Amino acid sequence: LLKNKPYLILLLCFGSGIAVFTCFSTLLEQILCVKGYTNDFAGLCGALFIVFGIIGAGVVGVYVDKTKKFTEVTKIGLGFSTLSCIAFSVVSLMPHQKVAVAAVCSLFGFFGFSIYAVAMELSVECSYPVGEATSAGLIFVSGQVQSVVYIILLQALTKQLTESPLATCGDAVLSWKVPMMVMAGLSSVFTCCFLIFFHTRYRRLEAEEQAAYRTRGNNATTTSYQAVET
């Protein structure tokens, strides 16, 4: 795996995507409360994030099963996820924008969750014949490690606000403007790297096609021998 360039790119870039999703779900309430959004509304946004993610995963899963376009779907989904992340980093800093915030959270979940399973399948395709548990598992680990780093970094970049009349956070009111811009920037950088540099063959599908071809050839040979004997 360490010698497999496409896999390493996927490991780093999609791991960063997992980290951004984790930061979003972990810090959502803290980010929104500064601009006067209640905990109930933050919970609603989190629910929309998950529900639309499930819908997106179902739709994309059916499409990929039929077309086998793992790379194309992953690149498109990751690109739209990054655009949603950028949009969230802007609208989350605006008060009285519940509809916009809810819509962006829904889109973020739809595109983000929908490519999770596809990217795991892509990791297997580009790393075959390495075991599926190893290739997919390392990407999950990469995402969790980067999540820890991102959360610590984003929280370190917050600034204490002297006053925020709309805040529903209690006494500790923090500015998330810089962390949101950093999160959007990191997501953009890793997505661009993935879109530009990731190219791979579908090694598992190729192996399955070769095995099926050999099987058909053996069956044809056996049929010919039986016909000659008859």
Side-chain angles (χ1 to χ4, degrees), residues 141-204:
V141 171
S142 172
Q144 298 310 305
V145 171
Q146 291 187 65
S147 298
V148 174
V149 175
Y150 281 19
I151 290 175
I152 294 174
L153 173 64
L154 296 181
Q155 289 182 327
L157 292 173
T158 57
K159 289 172 53 178
Q160 186 82 32
L161 293 176
T162 55
E163 60 178 13
S164 182
L166 297 175
T168 58
C169 310
D171 296 332
V173 181
L174 302 174
S175 171
W176 288 89
K177 182 177 181 179
V178 174
M180 287 295 94
M181 296 299 116
V182 170
M183 185 173 76
L186 289 171
S187 180
S188 300
V189 168
F190 283 107
T191 297
C192 289
C193 290
F194 184 78
L195 294 178
I196 296 170
F197 298 112
F198 183 83
H199 305 282
T200 186
R201 295 166 27 227
Y202 297 155
R203 300 182 178 184
R204 182 177 61 177

Side-chain angles (χ1 to χ4, degrees), residues 123-135:
S123 72
V124 176
E125 292 292 342
C126 73
S127 63
Y128 186 86
V130 176
E132 298 178 5
T134 302
S135 57

